[in-house]
Amino acid sequence: MENLRIPGPTPLPGEVLQAMIKQMINHRGPEFGQILNGVTANLKQLFQTKSDVLVLTGSGTGGLEAVIVNTLSPGDKVLSVSTGVFGERFASIAKEFGAEVMPLRFEWGKPADADAIRQVLQTKPEIKAVLVTHNETSTGITNDLASISRVVKEFDKLLLVDAMSSIGSINLPVDDWHCDVTVTCSQKAWMAPPGVAMVSVSQEGWQAHSKAKMPRFYWDFTRAKNYLERGQTPWTPALSIIFALAASLEMMLREGLPNILARHARVSQATREGIKSLGLSIFAQESHASNTVTAVRSSNGLDTKQMLRILREEHKVVLAGGQQSLDGKIFRIGHMGWITENDIETVISALRVVLPQAGFKG
Ligand SMILES: Cc1ncc(COP(=O)(O)O)c(C=O)c1O
Protein backbone atom coordinates (compact mmCIF):
# COMPACT_ATOMS: atom_id res chain seq x y z
CA MET A 1 0.00 0.00 0.00
CA GLU A 2 1.23 3.50 -0.80
CA ASN A 3 1.73 6.06 1.95
CA LEU A 4 -0.54 8.62 0.27
CA ARG A 5 0.31 12.01 1.73
CA ILE A 6 -1.12 14.47 -0.76
CA PRO A 7 -3.64 17.09 0.39
CA GLY A 8 -6.59 14.97 -0.72
CA PRO A 9 -7.68 12.39 -1.58
CA THR A 10 -6.56 11.04 1.79
CA PRO A 11 -6.25 7.38 2.83
CA LEU A 12 -9.39 5.62 4.02
CA PRO A 13 -9.56 3.67 7.30
CA GLY A 14 -10.63 0.00 7.02
CA GLU A 15 -14.01 0.79 8.59
CA VAL A 16 -14.73 3.29 5.82
CA LEU A 17 -13.57 0.94 3.05
CA GLN A 18 -15.86 -1.74 4.44
CA ALA A 19 -18.83 0.64 4.45
CA MET A 20 -18.31 1.29 0.74
CA ILE A 21 -18.84 -2.31 -0.35
CA LYS A 22 -22.45 -2.19 0.80
CA GLN A 23 -24.94 -3.25 -1.87
CA MET A 24 -26.88 -0.45 -3.66
CA ILE A 25 -30.17 0.65 -2.11
CA ASN A 26 -33.13 2.68 -3.34
CA HIS A 27 -32.13 6.32 -3.00
CA ARG A 28 -35.84 7.17 -2.70
CA GLY A 29 -36.43 4.62 0.07
CA PRO A 30 -36.48 4.82 3.89
CA GLU A 31 -33.02 3.29 4.44
CA PHE A 32 -31.28 6.02 2.44
CA GLY A 33 -33.42 8.62 4.23
CA GLN A 34 -32.08 7.42 7.56
CA ILE A 35 -28.49 7.45 6.33
CA LEU A 36 -28.77 10.95 4.82
CA ASN A 37 -30.44 12.35 7.94
CA GLY A 38 -27.70 10.81 10.10
CA VAL A 39 -24.93 12.18 7.88
CA THR A 40 -26.51 15.64 7.89
CA ALA A 41 -26.92 15.70 11.69
CA ASN A 42 -23.32 14.57 12.22
CA LEU A 43 -21.99 17.12 9.74
CA LYS A 44 -23.82 19.89 11.61
CA GLN A 45 -22.00 18.90 14.80
CA LEU A 46 -18.61 18.95 13.08
CA PHE A 47 -19.40 22.23 11.26
CA GLN A 48 -20.44 23.59 14.70
CA THR A 49 -23.61 24.94 13.16
CA LYS A 50 -27.34 24.85 13.77
CA SER A 51 -27.98 26.01 10.20
CA ASP A 52 -28.76 23.78 7.24
CA VAL A 53 -26.10 21.51 5.80
CA LEU A 54 -26.64 20.16 2.28
CA VAL A 55 -24.91 17.10 0.84
CA LEU A 56 -24.25 17.54 -2.89
CA THR A 57 -22.83 14.99 -5.30
CA GLY A 58 -19.81 16.55 -7.01
CA SER A 59 -16.22 17.48 -6.30
CA GLY A 60 -15.13 20.49 -4.27
CA THR A 61 -15.07 22.72 -7.34
CA GLY A 62 -18.71 21.82 -7.96
CA GLY A 63 -19.32 22.90 -4.36
CA LEU A 64 -17.62 26.26 -5.05
CA GLU A 65 -19.84 26.74 -8.10
CA ALA A 66 -22.88 25.86 -5.97
CA VAL A 67 -21.92 28.56 -3.43
CA ILE A 68 -21.59 31.21 -6.14
CA VAL A 69 -24.69 30.48 -8.22
CA ASN A 70 -26.92 30.13 -5.17
CA THR A 71 -26.04 33.43 -3.52
CA LEU A 72 -25.19 35.93 -6.27
CA SER A 73 -26.70 37.62 -9.33
CA PRO A 74 -24.90 38.67 -12.51
CA GLY A 75 -23.43 42.14 -11.96
CA ASP A 76 -23.05 41.71 -8.19
CA LYS A 77 -19.81 43.14 -6.88
CA VAL A 78 -17.76 40.68 -4.85
CA LEU A 79 -14.43 41.00 -3.10
CA SER A 80 -12.16 38.04 -3.74
CA VAL A 81 -9.58 37.56 -1.00
CA SER A 82 -6.98 35.39 -2.66
CA THR A 83 -3.87 33.76 -1.23
CA GLY A 84 -3.24 31.08 -3.86
CA VAL A 85 -4.55 28.78 -6.56
CA PHE A 86 -7.86 27.99 -4.89
CA GLY A 87 -8.63 31.61 -4.04
CA GLU A 88 -8.15 32.35 -7.74
CA ARG A 89 -10.44 29.46 -8.69
CA PHE A 90 -13.26 30.72 -6.44
CA ALA A 91 -12.94 34.16 -8.07
CA SER A 92 -12.86 32.70 -11.61
CA ILE A 93 -16.14 30.86 -11.03
CA ALA A 94 -17.82 34.04 -9.77
CA LYS A 95 -16.51 35.93 -12.81
CA GLU A 96 -17.62 33.21 -15.21
CA PHE A 97 -21.19 33.51 -13.90
CA GLY A 98 -21.21 37.29 -14.33
CA ALA A 99 -20.19 38.69 -10.94
CA GLU A 100 -18.00 41.78 -10.95
CA VAL A 101 -14.99 40.49 -9.07
CA MET A 102 -12.67 42.86 -7.23
CA PRO A 103 -9.50 40.96 -6.47
CA LEU A 104 -7.51 41.49 -3.30
CA ARG A 105 -4.43 39.33 -3.75
CA PHE A 106 -1.79 38.50 -1.17
CA GLU A 107 1.66 37.16 -1.93
CA TRP A 108 1.59 33.36 -2.13
CA GLY A 109 2.85 31.92 1.14
CA LYS A 110 1.53 34.90 3.12
CA PRO A 111 -1.86 35.09 4.87
CA ALA A 112 -4.64 37.53 4.01
CA ASP A 113 -4.60 40.73 6.04
CA ALA A 114 -7.92 41.64 7.68
CA ASP A 115 -7.01 45.35 7.79
CA ALA A 116 -6.46 45.41 4.04
CA ILE A 117 -9.91 43.86 3.63
CA ARG A 118 -11.37 46.57 5.91
CA GLN A 119 -9.78 49.29 3.76
CA VAL A 120 -11.41 47.93 0.61
CA LEU A 121 -14.82 47.51 2.25
CA GLN A 122 -14.61 51.08 3.59
CA THR A 123 -14.04 52.54 0.15
CA LYS A 124 -16.34 50.21 -1.80
CA PRO A 125 -19.74 50.03 -0.09
CA GLU A 126 -21.26 48.49 -3.23
CA ILE A 127 -19.53 45.15 -2.50
CA LYS A 128 -22.12 42.52 -1.66
CA ALA A 129 -20.08 39.46 -0.73
CA VAL A 130 -16.56 38.45 0.27
CA LEU A 131 -14.98 35.22 -0.99
CA VAL A 132 -12.35 33.68 1.28
CA THR A 133 -10.34 30.46 1.24
CA HIS A 134 -9.88 29.43 4.87
CA ASN A 135 -7.01 27.01 4.24
CA GLU A 136 -5.14 27.66 0.98
CA THR A 137 -4.09 24.13 0.02
CA SER A 138 -1.71 25.35 -2.69
CA THR A 139 0.55 27.26 -0.29
CA GLY A 140 -0.11 25.68 3.12
CA ILE A 141 -1.52 28.86 4.65
CA THR A 142 -4.45 29.05 7.06
CA ASN A 143 -6.05 32.46 6.89
CA ASP A 144 -7.27 34.08 10.10
CA LEU A 145 -10.93 33.59 9.31
CA ALA A 146 -12.14 34.78 12.73
CA SER A 147 -10.56 38.22 12.15
CA ILE A 148 -11.63 38.34 8.51
CA SER A 149 -15.18 37.47 9.51
CA ARG A 150 -15.27 40.26 12.11
CA VAL A 151 -14.31 42.76 9.42
CA VAL A 152 -16.76 41.38 6.85
CA LYS A 153 -19.59 41.49 9.38
CA GLU A 154 -18.64 45.03 10.53
CA PHE A 155 -19.76 45.99 7.03
CA ASP A 156 -22.64 43.50 7.01
CA LYS A 157 -21.44 41.65 3.89
CA LEU A 158 -22.09 38.08 2.93
CA LEU A 159 -19.20 35.78 3.86
CA LEU A 160 -18.64 32.87 1.44
CA VAL A 161 -15.98 30.42 2.61
CA ASP A 162 -13.98 27.73 0.85
CA ALA A 163 -13.23 25.44 3.80
CA MET A 164 -12.31 22.38 1.71
CA SER A 165 -9.08 21.54 3.48
CA SER A 166 -9.80 23.07 6.88
CA ILE A 167 -13.15 22.21 8.40
CA GLY A 168 -13.08 18.87 10.21
CA SER A 169 -9.36 19.18 10.98
CA ILE A 170 -8.77 22.89 11.65
CA ASN A 171 -11.16 24.72 13.95
CA LEU A 172 -13.94 26.48 12.05
CA PRO A 173 -16.97 27.20 14.23
CA VAL A 174 -19.29 28.17 11.39
CA ASP A 175 -21.97 29.85 13.53
CA ASP A 176 -19.61 31.67 15.91
CA TRP A 177 -17.62 33.03 12.97
CA HIS A 178 -20.77 34.03 11.05
CA CYS A 179 -19.89 32.17 7.88
CA ASP A 180 -22.88 32.44 5.55
CA VAL A 181 -22.02 29.67 3.16
CA THR A 182 -19.20 27.24 3.92
CA VAL A 183 -18.16 24.43 1.63
CA THR A 184 -15.94 21.39 1.99
CA CYS A 185 -15.49 18.09 0.15
CA SER A 186 -15.37 14.44 1.12
CA GLN A 187 -11.75 13.64 0.19
CA LYS A 188 -10.16 15.96 2.75
CA ALA A 189 -10.50 15.75 6.57
CA TRP A 190 -13.54 13.51 6.18
CA MET A 191 -11.64 10.30 5.36
CA ALA A 192 -14.00 9.50 2.49
CA PRO A 193 -13.42 9.21 -1.28
CA PRO A 194 -13.79 12.24 -3.57
CA GLY A 195 -17.22 12.97 -5.04
CA VAL A 196 -19.33 14.67 -2.39
CA ALA A 197 -19.42 18.34 -1.39
CA MET A 198 -20.99 19.51 1.86
CA VAL A 199 -22.30 23.05 2.28
CA SER A 200 -23.73 24.94 5.26
CA VAL A 201 -26.10 27.84 4.65
CA SER A 202 -26.88 30.47 7.30
CA GLN A 203 -30.09 32.50 7.60
CA GLU A 204 -28.38 35.36 5.72
CA GLY A 205 -27.19 32.82 3.16
CA TRP A 206 -30.79 31.75 2.55
CA GLN A 207 -31.88 35.40 2.26
CA ALA A 208 -29.20 36.00 -0.37
CA HIS A 209 -30.27 32.78 -2.09
CA SER A 210 -33.87 33.96 -2.34
CA LYS A 211 -32.69 36.98 -4.39
CA ALA A 212 -29.85 35.32 -6.33
CA LYS A 213 -30.41 35.21 -10.09
CA MET A 214 -27.39 33.33 -11.42
CA PRO A 215 -28.46 30.37 -13.57
CA ARG A 216 -28.54 27.05 -11.73
CA PHE A 217 -30.26 23.73 -11.90
CA TYR A 218 -28.17 20.79 -10.60
CA TRP A 219 -26.75 22.84 -7.72
CA ASP A 220 -29.95 24.61 -6.67
CA PHE A 221 -30.08 24.88 -2.85
CA THR A 222 -33.88 25.18 -2.72
CA ARG A 223 -34.28 21.84 -4.47
CA ALA A 224 -31.64 20.26 -2.20
CA LYS A 225 -33.36 21.57 0.94
CA ASN A 226 -36.83 20.51 -0.18
CA TYR A 227 -35.66 16.99 -0.94
CA LEU A 228 -33.65 16.79 2.28
CA GLU A 229 -36.88 17.37 4.20
CA ARG A 230 -38.01 13.99 2.77
CA GLY A 231 -34.65 12.32 3.41
CA GLN A 232 -33.62 12.52 -0.22
CA THR A 233 -31.44 14.43 -2.67
CA PRO A 234 -32.90 15.93 -5.87
CA TRP A 235 -30.68 13.81 -8.12
CA THR A 236 -29.22 10.33 -7.75
CA PRO A 237 -26.57 10.69 -5.03
CA ALA A 238 -23.10 9.07 -4.95
CA LEU A 239 -24.44 6.32 -2.69
CA SER A 240 -21.16 4.52 -1.98
CA ILE A 241 -19.43 7.74 -0.99
CA ILE A 242 -22.30 8.64 1.30
CA PHE A 243 -22.05 5.16 2.90
CA ALA A 244 -18.35 5.86 3.42
CA LEU A 245 -19.06 9.30 4.85
CA ALA A 246 -21.64 7.86 7.25
CA ALA A 247 -18.94 5.54 8.63
CA SER A 248 -16.19 8.16 8.76
CA LEU A 249 -18.40 10.70 10.51
CA GLU A 250 -19.18 8.11 13.21
CA MET A 251 -15.44 7.58 13.64
CA MET A 252 -14.85 11.32 13.85
CA LEU A 253 -17.52 11.81 16.48
CA ARG A 254 -16.13 8.91 18.51
CA GLU A 255 -12.73 10.61 18.51
CA GLY A 256 -14.35 13.98 19.24
CA LEU A 257 -13.71 17.26 17.43
CA PRO A 258 -11.35 18.75 20.08
CA ASN A 259 -9.19 15.59 19.91
CA ILE A 260 -9.19 15.64 16.11
CA LEU A 261 -8.12 19.30 16.05
CA ALA A 262 -5.38 18.63 18.63
CA ARG A 263 -4.11 15.61 16.66
CA HIS A 264 -3.85 17.70 13.49
CA ALA A 265 -1.99 20.42 15.39
CA ARG A 266 0.48 17.82 16.76
CA VAL A 267 1.00 16.12 13.40
CA SER A 268 1.59 19.41 11.59
CA GLN A 269 4.06 20.50 14.25
CA ALA A 270 5.92 17.19 13.85
CA THR A 271 5.91 17.71 10.07
CA ARG A 272 7.40 21.19 10.26
CA GLU A 273 10.03 20.09 12.79
CA GLY A 274 10.93 17.06 10.67
CA ILE A 275 11.27 19.21 7.55
CA LYS A 276 13.53 21.70 9.31
CA SER A 277 15.65 18.86 10.73
CA LEU A 278 16.41 17.90 7.12
CA GLY A 279 17.72 21.38 6.35
CA LEU A 280 14.64 22.42 4.36
CA SER A 281 12.38 25.36 5.05
CA ILE A 282 8.62 25.92 5.21
CA PHE A 283 7.14 27.93 2.33
CA ALA A 284 4.26 29.44 4.29
CA GLN A 285 4.67 32.22 6.83
CA GLU A 286 5.00 30.11 9.95
CA SER A 287 2.59 32.10 12.12
CA HIS A 288 -0.15 30.93 9.72
CA ALA A 289 1.24 27.55 8.65
CA SER A 290 -1.56 25.08 8.02
CA ASN A 291 -2.37 22.09 10.21
CA THR A 292 -3.46 20.05 7.18
CA VAL A 293 -0.84 20.70 4.50
CA THR A 294 2.80 21.73 4.68
CA ALA A 295 4.39 23.35 1.65
CA VAL A 296 8.17 22.95 1.59
CA ARG A 297 10.46 25.27 -0.32
CA SER A 298 12.81 23.66 -2.79
CA SER A 299 16.39 24.78 -2.15
CA ASN A 300 20.07 23.85 -2.36
CA GLY A 301 19.89 22.10 -5.72
CA LEU A 302 16.82 19.97 -4.94
CA ASP A 303 14.98 18.71 -8.01
CA THR A 304 11.48 18.25 -6.55
CA LYS A 305 10.17 16.29 -9.53
CA GLN A 306 12.96 13.74 -9.28
CA MET A 307 12.47 13.61 -5.50
CA LEU A 308 8.74 12.93 -5.86
CA ARG A 309 9.45 10.18 -8.39
CA ILE A 310 12.06 8.40 -6.25
CA LEU A 311 9.85 8.68 -3.16
CA ARG A 312 6.98 7.12 -5.07
CA GLU A 313 8.90 4.40 -6.91
CA GLU A 314 11.34 3.34 -4.21
CA HIS A 315 9.59 4.18 -0.95
CA LYS A 316 5.88 4.12 -1.88
CA VAL A 317 5.56 7.59 -0.33
CA VAL A 318 3.37 9.87 -2.43
CA LEU A 319 3.64 13.62 -1.91
CA ALA A 320 2.34 16.49 -4.05
CA GLY A 321 4.21 19.03 -6.14
CA GLY A 322 3.55 22.75 -6.41
CA GLN A 323 0.74 24.09 -8.57
CA GLN A 324 0.92 26.69 -11.35
CA SER A 325 3.73 29.20 -10.68
CA LEU A 326 4.88 27.08 -7.71
CA ASP A 327 5.52 24.06 -9.94
CA GLY A 328 9.06 22.85 -9.20
CA LYS A 329 9.49 25.49 -6.49
CA ILE A 330 7.77 23.70 -3.61
CA PHE A 331 6.45 20.29 -2.68
CA ARG A 332 3.52 19.63 -0.38
CA ILE A 333 2.85 17.09 2.35
CA GLY A 334 -0.80 16.45 3.12
CA HIS A 335 -1.56 15.57 6.74
CA MET A 336 -5.29 15.55 7.20
CA GLY A 337 -7.87 12.94 8.06
CA TRP A 338 -6.60 9.49 9.01
CA ILE A 339 -3.07 10.38 10.12
CA THR A 340 -0.78 10.15 13.13
CA GLU A 341 2.75 11.29 13.94
CA ASN A 342 4.01 7.81 12.87
CA ASP A 343 2.85 8.38 9.29
CA ILE A 344 4.84 11.61 9.19
CA GLU A 345 7.90 9.93 10.68
CA THR A 346 7.82 7.50 7.74
CA VAL A 347 7.68 10.43 5.30
CA ILE A 348 10.57 12.26 6.98
CA SER A 349 12.70 9.08 7.09
CA ALA A 350 12.12 8.47 3.38
CA LEU A 351 12.95 12.11 2.60
CA ARG A 352 16.19 11.80 4.54
CA VAL A 353 17.30 9.04 2.15
CA VAL A 354 15.93 10.55 -1.06
CA LEU A 355 16.91 14.23 -0.75
CA PRO A 356 20.64 13.70 -1.58
CA GLN A 357 19.64 11.39 -4.46
CA ALA A 358 17.57 14.26 -5.87
CA GLY A 359 20.40 16.80 -5.83
CA PHE A 360 19.85 18.35 -2.38
CA LYS A 361 23.05 19.68 -0.86
CA GLY A 362 21.67 20.94 2.44
C1 LIG B 1 -8.98 24.84 -0.92
C2 LIG B 1 -9.54 24.01 -2.04
N1 LIG B 1 -10.54 24.50 -2.78
C3 LIG B 1 -11.08 23.80 -3.79
C4 LIG B 1 -10.63 22.53 -4.10
C5 LIG B 1 -11.21 21.82 -5.27
O1 LIG B 1 -11.75 20.60 -4.97
P1 LIG B 1 -11.90 19.45 -6.08
O2 LIG B 1 -10.54 19.12 -6.58
O3 LIG B 1 -12.54 18.35 -5.28
O4 LIG B 1 -12.80 19.97 -7.15
C6 LIG B 1 -9.59 21.97 -3.35
C7 LIG B 1 -9.06 20.62 -3.68
O5 LIG B 1 -7.89 20.35 -3.67
C8 LIG B 1 -9.03 22.73 -2.30
O6 LIG B 1 -8.02 22.25 -1.56
Side-chain angles (χ1 to χ4, degrees):
M1 202 178 74
E2 280 179 339
N3 192 356
L4 182 67
R5 295 298 159 205
I6 61 173
T10 61
L12 308 183
E15 215 171 312
V16 175
L17 285 172
Q18 280 299 317
M20 280 174 62
I21 58 172
K22 183 177 155 59
Q23 184 55 275
M24 289 301 100
I25 57 173
N26 178 8
H27 63 296
R28 305 279 175 223
E31 187 184 353
F32 181 69
Q34 262 189 5
I35 294 172
L36 184 63
N37 290 338
V39 163
T40 308
N42 289 347
L43 282 171
K44 282 189 190 190
Q45 282 195 53
L46 293 161
F47 273 58
Q48 304 177 67
T49 184
K50 294 198 166 47
S51 296
D52 293 301
V53 173
L54 305 170
V55 174
L56 312 171
T57 289
S59 85
T61 305
L64 290 178
E65 182 171 319
V67 173
I68 296 293
V69 298
N70 277 286
T71 55
L72 300 173
S73 300
D76 276 351
K77 297 190 172 48
V78 300
L79 177 65
S80 145
V81 177
S82 170
T83 50
V85 170
F86 293 104
E88 290 300 308
R89 187 178 300 178
F90 208 1
S92 299
I93 297 169
K95 211 165 161 189
E96 193 78 23
F97 280 91
E100 202 177 299
V101 176
M102 303 182 184
L104 179 60
R105 296 191 170 97
F106 296 89
E107 190 187 332
W108 290 13
K110 298 273 188 304
D113 173 12
D115 288 333
I117 298 171
R118 179 181 285 110
Q119 276 171 22
V120 178
L121 293 178
Q122 259 161 358
T123 53
K124 302 229 173 337
E126 65 277 20
I127 287 171
K128 178 178 169 185
V130 179
L131 314 181
V132 182
T133 313
H134 183 202
N135 189 75
E136 180 48 76
T137 322
S138 65
T139 63
I141 274 283
T142 304
N143 285 307
D144 180 357
L145 188 57
S147 302
I148 293 172
S149 165
R150 270 194 296 278
V151 170
V152 171
K153 290 303 167 186
E154 230 175 79
F155 294 88
D156 209 16
K157 308 297 178 191
L158 202 62
L159 179 58
L160 307 178
V161 181
D162 173 342
M164 301 294 171
S165 57
S166 61
I167 195 164
S169 40
I170 294 174
N171 194 33
L172 201 185
V174 163
D175 287 357
D176 285 356
W177 290 359
H178 308 285
C179 301
D180 293 311
V181 187
T182 308
V183 60
T184 181
C185 53
S186 48
Q187 78 271 23
K188 305 285 186 185
W190 311 99
M191 305 185 292
V196 166
M198 296 88 92
V199 193
S200 68
V201 189
S202 73
Q203 224 32 58
E204 290 81 353
W206 282 115
Q207 274 162 22
H209 172 70
S210 67
K211 296 183 207 120
K213 301 236 160 25
M214 282 189 181
R216 55 184 181 264
F217 185 85
Y218 183 81
W219 298 123
D220 186 44
F221 284 174
T222 297
R223 285 185 174 94
K225 184 170 159 72
N226 290 344
Y227 273 80
L228 180 61
E229 277 158 18
R230 298 176 243 161
Q232 293 183 23
T233 55
W235 333 114
T236 311
L239 282 175
S240 304
I241 299 170
I242 294 174
F243 297 158
L245 198 54
S248 65
L249 291 172
E250 291 296 333
M251 284 182 71
M252 289 176 79
L253 288 172
R254 277 204 302 276
E255 185 177 357
L257 187 58
N259 293 331
I260 296 175
L261 302 180
R263 176 167 54 82
H264 281 83
R266 280 197 316 272
V267 168
S268 66
Q269 178 76 23
T271 308
R272 289 189 291 272
E273 282 168 8
I275 285 299
K276 287 184 206 161
S277 77
L278 298 170
L280 287 164
S281 62
I282 310 298
F283 176 70
Q285 182 177 309
E286 280 208 48
S287 58
H288 290 69
S290 165
N291 283 354
T292 58
V293 53
T294 296
V296 182
R297 201 184 287 279
S298 168
S299 60
N300 295 348
L302 177 64
D303 178 341
T304 53
K305 292 201 172 134
Q306 197 188 356
M307 180 203 79
L308 293 172
R309 183 185 54 74
I310 304 172
L311 277 173
R312 187 183 66 245
E313 288 176 359
E314 294 179 17
H315 299 265
K316 291 197 165 57
V317 169
V318 182
L319 306 182
Q323 294 164 284
Q324 298 181 8
S325 63
L326 293 175
D327 185 28
K329 300 204 172 105
I330 61 166
F331 66 92
R332 294 171 302 148
I333 306 172
H335 35 81
M336 67 187 106
W338 191 41
I339 181 143
T340 64
E341 284 99 325
N342 286 345
D343 300 306
I344 286 304
E345 248 177 66
T346 312
V347 172
I348 300 295
S349 302
L351 276 170
R352 187 163 282 120
V353 176
V354 173
L355 284 173
Q357 298 170 346
F360 183 64
K361 294 178 190 64

